[in-house]
Amino acid sequence: MHKDIARVLYSREQIAARVHEIGEALSRDFADAAREDERGVVLVSVLRGAAIFMADLAREITVPLEMDYMAVSSYGNGAKSSGVVRILKDLTTDIKGRHVVIAEDIIDSGLTLSYLVKSLASRGPASITVVALLRKQTSAQADIDCTYVGFECPDEFIVGYGLDFAERYRNLPYIGVLKPEIYEG
Ligand code: IMP
Ligand code: MG
């Protein structure tokens, strides 16, 4: 796998340090909410890319939390967004009156998240907070209120630490840029 990577953007250590910081900030910001509602927050991961991020983030959060998963699709099996967002798997948790924290792997066009936030907002949660590990520096991005961003990354095709190309590279412990010849075939 490593030979397909043009360069490493964030090392395992850099990711761990940043995830720790985000966990600390979230714990601080939701301390009051967790006192009011002993169930704490509902941490929602968007499968499959954000699963690894959420697993690490959850262990850096010190307030009580529940974990739930959603699967949506805006990408086919390639590198280009189709612009179509579908819910493939919905939450099991009733989020009415709950503090919801959505953990997303990467914001590119922002279509996926803006759709997701709208869908969850219609269910009457106490609050919705978005945490994105990566945000691409693109010009045309849907307007998303993203409270926590791990890294502002370049507009290239990125893999590793949960992110895939055609379901590969998710298990790379670092985040890197995929060589264009791989996805240009
Ligand atoms: P958006 O709807 O364009 O923001 O796309 C978001 C989703 O597309 C993310 O959750 C990823 O699953 C996927 N995605 C976007 N950019 C990349 C990338 O560079 N590498 C891998 N997956 C990506
Ligand atoms: Mg994905």
Side-chain angles (χ1 to χ4, degrees):
M1 294 188 291
H2 303 286
K3 67 173 181 3
D4 299 343
I5 304 303
R7 65 184 201 281
V8 175
L9 286 176
Y10 312 107
S11 69
R12 186 199 277 259
E13 293 74 23
Q14 282 173 305
I15 298 167
R18 192 70 190 107
V19 172
H20 175 73
E21 285 174 359
I22 296 172
E24 269 186 341
L26 274 166
S27 306
R28 219 171 25 239
D29 294 353
F30 283 95
D32 286 344
R35 267 190 290 273
E36 279 160 28
D37 182 346
E38 63 187 16
R39 296 170 301 175
V41 302
V42 184
L43 189 56
V44 172
S45 154
V46 187
L47 296 174
R48 294 170 243 182
I52 289 180
F53 172 46
M54 169 154 128
D56 284 346
L57 181 62
R59 286 173 285 184
E60 301 293 346
I61 296 174
T62 54
V63 299
L65 61 80
E66 293 173 19
M67 292 160 80
D68 204 344
Y69 303 88
M70 278 187 96
V72 298
S73 158
S74 76
Y75 272 57
N77 223 21
K80 273 239 173 335
S81 178
S82 65
V84 180
V85 181
R86 287 187 301 149
I87 292 187
L88 306 175
K89 183 220 170 290
D90 209 335
L91 295 178
T92 337
T93 315
D94 178 6
I95 58 166
K96 193 166 173 22
R98 304 294 305 273
H99 294 281
V100 176
V101 177
I102 304 174
E104 178 58 310
D105 51 358
I106 186 165
I107 302 178
D108 183 4
S109 70
L111 281 173
T112 310
L113 259 186
S114 73
Y115 177 86
L116 209 67
V117 168
K118 262 185 224 129
S119 162
L120 297 190
S122 71
R123 305 175 193 186
S127 67
I128 298 181
T129 303
V130 174
V131 185
L133 178 64
L134 300 157
R135 184 165 59 192
K136 272 193 196 173
Q137 297 310 99
T138 54
S139 47
Q141 203 165 73
D143 188 26
I144 291 164
D145 195 4
C146 189
T147 313
Y148 310 88
V149 177
F151 304 100
E152 303 283 351
C153 68
D155 186 15
E156 292 175 90
F157 202 82
I158 287 163
V159 294
Y161 194 71
L163 291 151
D164 72 306
F165 171 67
E167 297 309 322
R168 293 193 65 197
Y169 311 101
R170 292 194 198 274
N171 55 328
L172 284 177
Y174 54 84
I175 293 168
V177 174
L178 190 65
K179 287 183 180 165
E181 65 249 41
I182 305 293
Y183 55 85
E184 280 158 6

